[in-house]
């Protein structure tokens, strides 16, 4: 167990729907990062939050949004889902905004049908 | 942005063999990590190694930051070593992954 908890582990939903993925970081870690892994794009950085504030943004679609709550857990919201959004979504956490090493959760496998 | 290239893309070994995986990166980085993604999709952190050499059991890693490359050594490979090995580098909060090396170890 890495200490980073992601729920749900699997999600199957229809095109056009909206889903929320949840991440609880490792105890003491203030930074949360979201990554998407798809067959054609590999592992891509989506967004980073540090202590509740957005810190860095990557290749995140406008249909996707995220937030980090006061208890430091984070949610990634995916809306108007398309078949191409099917992927493995990872959350990672680290102890500070500057990188000392990431710890990844076990991921949420999203299938859009 | 920074480019990360891994080689070889695929590697097939017999159990007990040794191997070396390479990661080249195009610019200075704050951090470099090696991960193993197992067949269930989990990303396991192997090494945090921005420079120098580290060892953990049968695995070791070396990063030469000035020459912008890192090597992951796997000795006496086992079938449980199968999976995808990723190198990832961090610059200002963004971790960029290579495309990975797919390792298959046959009994």
């Amino acid at each position: 167990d890495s200490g980073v908890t992601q729920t749900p582990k699997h999600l199957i939903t229809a095109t056009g729907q909206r889903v929320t993925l949840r991440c609880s970081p490792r105890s003491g870690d203030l930074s949360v990062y979201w990554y998407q892994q798809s067959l054609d794009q590999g592992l891509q950085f989506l967004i980073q939050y540090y202590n509740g504030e957005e810190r860095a943004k990557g290749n995140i679609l406008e249909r996707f949004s995220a937030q980090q709550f006061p208890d430091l857990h984070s949610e990634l919201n995916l809306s108007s889902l398309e078949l191409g959004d099917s992927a493995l979504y990872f959350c990672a956490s680290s102890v500070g905004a500057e990188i000392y090493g990431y710890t990844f959760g076990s991921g949420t496998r999203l299938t859009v049908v | 942005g920074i480019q990360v290239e891994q080689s070889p893309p695929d590697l097939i070994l017999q159990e007990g063999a040794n191997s070396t995986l390479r990661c080249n990166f195009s610019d200075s980085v704050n951090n470099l990590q090696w991960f193993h993604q197992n067949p269930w999709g989990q990303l396991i952190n192997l090494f945090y190694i921005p420079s120098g050499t580290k060892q953990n059991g049968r695995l070791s890693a070396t990063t030469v930051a000035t020459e912008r490359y890192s090597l992951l050594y796997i000795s006496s490979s086992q079938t449980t070593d199968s999976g995808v090995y990723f190198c990832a580098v961090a610059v200002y909060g963004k971790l960029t992954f290579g495309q990975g090396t797919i390792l298959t170890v046959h009994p």
Side-chain angles (χ1 to χ4, degrees):
Chain A
D1 182 7
S2 69
V4 179
T5 304
Q6 288 189 248
T7 57
K9 293 194 183 308
H10 302 275
L11 199 49
I12 301 175
T13 190
T15 54
Q17 295 298 305
R18 172 189 170 95
V19 297
T20 297
L21 312 183
R22 182 187 170 102
C23 169
S24 294
R26 204 175 46 169
S27 178
D29 287 358
L30 301 179
S31 286
V32 170
Y33 311 80
W34 286 97
Y35 286 82
Q36 178 194 57
Q37 185 179 29
S38 59
L39 284 175
D40 55 344
Q41 296 290 328
L43 271 154
Q44 299 267 309
F45 169 70
L46 295 178
I47 197 163
Q48 177 204 358
Y49 280 82
Y50 173 73
N51 203 20
E53 299 291 325
E54 182 184 305
R55 181 59 66 99
K57 217 166 187 177
N59 301 321
I60 187 166
L61 299 172
E62 286 193 10
R63 300 183 286 108
F64 296 180
S65 64
Q67 55 184 327
Q68 186 178 27
F69 295 87
D71 67 352
L72 300 178
H73 90 271
S74 178
E75 293 181 355
L76 180 66
N77 300 296
L78 315 176
S79 61
S80 303
L81 285 167
E82 303 174 359
L83 296 177
D85 298 327
S86 296
L88 196 49
Y89 291 84
F90 286 104
C91 167
S93 72
S94 73
V95 68
E98 295 306 316
I99 308 302
Y100 297 101
Y102 288 77
T103 300
F104 278 78
S106 57
T108 293
R109 189 172 297 277
L110 173 67
T111 304
V112 182
V113 297
Chain B
I2 194 165
Q3 304 297 314
V4 183
E5 294 183 359
Q6 292 185 243
S7 60
D10 298 276
L11 190 55
I12 300 174
L13 300 174
Q14 285 297 126
E15 206 167 24
N18 301 328
S19 61
T20 300
L21 282 57
R22 187 177 178 102
C23 171
N24 293 330
F25 44 96
S26 61
D27 208 341
S28 300
V29 297
N30 303 122
N31 164 1
L32 184 144
Q33 288 183 254
W34 283 97
F35 294 90
H36 174 216
Q37 188 167 35
N38 64 24
W40 295 271
Q42 291 179 305
L43 274 171
I44 311 299
N45 189 356
L46 298 176
F47 293 102
Y48 163 70
I49 186 164
S51 63
T53 297
K54 289 186 178 180
Q55 180 150 9
N56 184 3
R58 297 180 295 103
L59 273 59
S60 65
T62 295
T63 297
V64 183
T66 53
E67 297 187 22
R68 299 179 185 165
Y69 74 88
S70 184
L71 302 174
L72 177 69
Y73 305 95
I74 304 174
S75 64
S76 305
S77 58
Q78 300 176 358
T79 56
T80 51
D81 294 331
S82 295
V84 186
Y85 289 80
F86 289 101
C87 160
V89 300
V91 180
Y92 301 119
K94 177 183 172 181
L95 198 62
T96 299
F97 284 80
Q99 289 302 304
T101 292
I102 302 172
L103 175 64
T104 305
V105 181
H106 291 301

